Amino acid sequence: MRMTRIDTTKPFLPVRIAVMTVSDTRTLETDKSGQILVDRLQAAGHVLAARSIEPDDADRIVARLEEWIADSQIDVVITSGGTGVTGRDVTPEAFERVIEKRIEGFGELFRMLSYQKIGTSTIQSRALAGVARGTYLFALPGSSGAVKDGWDDILVFQLDSRHMPCNFVELMPRLQER
């Protein structure tokens, strides 16, 4: 049972989203998961602010995250890939180096929804989210199914300023409060 409600009396506020694919082998031409995210965020009315493919290297991922976090024209970063448990999967470790506040419920909700589709295999996902200097960061697994689930079941709603009873967009002006 999906608990979503869009208040059509409120204006839709487009969000500026950067998409990073973490992979040693994908290119822009072969990056199916990244393209799915780009297509979905644009179809929802958001702005693609940047896109990159980074190797499975924590220092390179951190460098790109830091660049995008510092960019006032980027509100949200969504990554695809590198969230598994193999030796090359280092996206969560890179996120931990930049995140100031974790959004614990994101990974939990992602795995709960994923469990309904792929069963216990979802336990291999270390999907996570957080906030760094006013920028939302979301790390999704690299499969096309996982990015569809993350966008279609969570992010499309939480990044919609009209979603009720609350959403991430309405909190953006307050993310850097002290």
Side-chain angles (χ1 to χ4, degrees):
M1 180 171 142
R2 186 175 283 165
M3 302 291 290
T4 60
R5 194 176 95 231
I6 300 296
D7 182 348
T8 56
T9 66
K10 288 182 166 186
F12 175 81
L13 303 174
V15 175
R16 298 167 301 218
I17 303 173
V19 173
M20 178 194 311
T21 298
V22 177
S23 173
D24 288 330
T25 59
R26 293 186 189 167
T27 65
L28 284 176
E29 294 75 32
T30 62
D31 181 19
K32 185 176 176 185
S33 297
Q35 191 60 49
I36 287 168
L37 285 170
V38 169
D39 292 345
R40 278 171 158 68
L41 73 88
Q42 290 177 327
H46 298 296
V47 176
L48 177 64
R51 183 173 180 190
S52 77
I53 297 180
E54 301 298 333
D56 291 286
D57 177 294
D59 291 337
R60 294 272 303 268
I61 297 166
V62 168
R64 180 67 68 191
L65 289 173
E66 291 285 0
E67 175 188 331
W68 286 350
I69 290 164
D71 187 337
S72 64
Q73 295 304 305
I74 295 176
D75 303 309
V76 174
V77 175
I78 304 172
T79 68
S80 167
T83 62
V85 297
T86 71
R88 299 287 298 156
D89 292 323
V90 295
T91 302
E93 288 76 14
F95 267 53
E96 292 298 339
R97 289 168 49 185
V98 299
I99 286 177
E100 296 166 344
K101 289 189 178 184
R102 286 187 63 128
I103 303 171
E104 300 292 346
F106 178 79
E108 296 163 356
L109 179 58
F110 176 83
R111 283 180 285 279
M112 182 198 79
L113 294 167
S114 179
Y115 177 76
Q116 297 170 5
K117 298 175 183 180
I118 65 169
T120 60
S121 295
T122 192
I123 202 159
Q124 296 180 27
S125 166
R126 297 186 300 145
L128 75 146
V131 179
R133 298 189 310 277
T135 302
Y136 285 112
L137 307 173
F138 301 97
L140 294 170
S143 74
S144 56
V147 297
K148 287 176 187 176
D149 292 346
W151 180 267
D152 296 348
D153 295 339
I154 304 171
L155 294 174
V156 72
F157 301 110
Q158 281 299 299
L159 296 177
D160 189 326
S161 56
R162 305 164 302 165
H163 182 263
M164 300 298 291
C166 57
N167 58 76
F168 286 138
V169 179
E170 66 192 5
L171 299 177
M172 285 180 174
R174 299 178 48 211
L175 290 179
Q176 297 191 66
E177 286 179 345
R178 296 285 173 216

